[in-house]
Amino acid sequence: MIICNLCPRKCGAVRSETVGTGFCGMPDKLYLARAALHHWEEPPISGTRGSGAVFFSGCPLQCVFCQNDQISRQKWGKNVTEERLGEIFRELVAQGAHNINLVSPTHYAHILRRVLSAEPPTVPVVWNTGGYERVETLRSLEGLVDVYLPDLKYTDPAKAERYSGAADYPEAAKAAIVEMFRQVGPVRLDENGILQKGVIIRHLVLPGQLAAAKEVMDWVSETFQPGDVLFSLMSQYVPLGRAAEYREINRPLRKAEARSAAEYLSNLGLNGFTQELTAANTQYVPNFDLTGI
């Protein structure tokens, strides 16, 4: 049992082996929804063989437009032991995974610290997160994570509150990203272009919010030197989760919006990736059928 303050919400919630009373709603046991090779991450993550993606149930954000709503808000998943998680890591490496990709791991940081310390994977470890992290929690992972893959969803507290119930998201995510970079340093690729160390900052462009996307890109450009980090501009938005309840985002991204965001990224000279609008398709949402669990 823990009194949980792992994420910026600092619920102080009691999480026992059977009950989770905090915002994430998860008990003090690991719940997974899928563990398999994943080919739809950024090229230095997926490579040619795929990323060993392990999807955790629950989330400290639960964004209204989440494409993984089934596991983030509805908390679908299966309990596994720490020993089984270590086995899953080894199985993914044996299948050829370029890395172990921990998807939405924040609320399990204390358990993952034990698992990664006991037997570090033989490939890079990726911390794939919505960006809503406590610096103190990240510091407890120093030396165990090789690649940080955070979102920077918002710079406006009002939008962060409306869509993720977290007005402090901009402040928390920016501080977290700076800490991530402090830990792993500038981007380092191997001879095959696979990321071994570094930070990739993601931003999902929301409908009607091109100005917000530009503010995110401006912050990254002003905070880091060229080549320090990579930036991933994502155009895959489709109105999933509870997006239908929010009229302004209850539509796909328009071609003009995606094009304007991509042009702004190019003009800033940020190193990274621009996602094709064809990625805005539900076929790219993983099937959470307990594969590999």
Side-chain angles (χ1 to χ4, degrees):
M1 183 184 76
I2 64 167
I3 306 299
C4 190
N5 290 294
L6 290 169
C7 84
R9 294 191 189 277
K10 293 186 283 188
C11 291
V14 175
R15 293 173 62 188
S16 70
E17 288 196 353
T18 57
V19 176
T21 61
F23 189 90
C24 71
M26 300 308 297
D28 189 24
K29 295 176 73 174
L30 290 165
Y31 280 81
L32 277 59
R34 181 180 176 85
L37 296 180
H38 192 62
H39 297 275
W40 303 327
E41 306 285 28
E42 287 75 8
I45 301 292
S46 290
T48 56
R49 301 194 303 268
S51 176
V54 181
F55 290 85
F56 294 91
S57 305
C59 181
L61 275 178
Q62 299 177 20
C63 305
V64 299
F65 50 82
C66 182
Q67 72 171 19
N68 296 343
D69 183 82
Q70 181 185 3
I71 62 172
S72 64
R73 189 172 65 89
Q74 299 177 43
K75 306 176 183 65
W76 163 255
K78 178 183 177 181
N79 171 234
V80 301
T81 64
E82 296 180 28
E83 292 73 21
R84 174 58 189 147
L85 182 60
E87 291 176 357
I88 288 171
F89 292 167
R90 293 191 293 274
E91 289 167 5
L92 289 170
V93 172
Q95 292 169 32
H98 289 293
N99 44 62
I100 296 299
N101 184 356
L102 308 175
V103 186
S104 299
T106 306
H107 47 300
Y108 293 121
H110 61 306
I111 301 176
L112 290 168
R113 183 169 61 245
R114 292 197 297 266
V115 175
L116 294 171
S117 296
E119 187 178 350
T122 57
V123 295
V125 173
V126 180
W127 194 263
N128 186 340
T129 166
Y132 196 50
E133 303 276 358
R134 283 190 71 194
V135 168
E136 293 82 357
T137 300
L138 292 173
R139 285 177 181 159
S140 74
L141 299 166
E142 187 162 3
L144 300 175
V145 174
D146 304 289
V147 174
Y148 282 104
L149 187 59
D151 291 336
L152 183 50
K153 297 177 183 290
Y154 322 98
T155 58
D156 177 9
K159 288 185 174 66
E161 175 64 27
R162 178 164 175 77
Y163 301 130
S164 298
D168 63 335
Y169 177 94
E171 178 184 2
K174 289 176 181 178
I177 290 170
V178 170
E179 169 61 19
M180 292 170 183
F181 179 75
R182 184 197 69 79
Q183 287 187 23
V184 298
V187 165
R188 181 162 60 85
L189 307 173
D190 70 8
E191 64 277 9
N192 297 311
I194 304 301
L195 191 56
Q196 302 298 298
K197 289 279 187 180
V199 179
I200 300 180
I201 301 168
R202 287 173 162 172
H203 177 70
L204 176 66
V205 184
L206 296 179
Q209 301 195 23
L210 180 59
K214 291 179 178 178
E215 289 175 4
V216 167
M217 288 185 268
D218 285 340
W219 181 82
V220 175
S221 179
E222 293 163 2
T223 303
F224 298 101
Q225 296 297 313
D228 278 353
V229 300
L230 295 174
F231 188 84
S232 181
L233 184 66
M234 305 176 75
S235 303
Q236 70 182 45
Y237 180 86
V238 287
L240 294 173
R242 294 182 289 137
E245 301 171 22
Y246 299 79
R247 183 177 178 182
E248 71 276 15
I249 60 170
N250 190 29
R251 65 168 174 83
L253 200 65
R254 297 188 178 114
K255 290 182 180 179
E257 293 172 319
R259 183 173 59 250
S260 295
E263 289 174 354
Y264 196 82
L265 175 67
S266 178
N267 291 336
L268 272 181
L270 285 177
N271 294 332
F273 319 94
T274 302
Q275 194 176 48
E276 297 293 332
L277 200 58
T278 53
N281 193 310
T282 55
Q283 70 173 323
Y284 296 112
V285 177
N287 186 2
F288 299 118
D289 56 0
L290 305 181
T291 291
I293 306 303

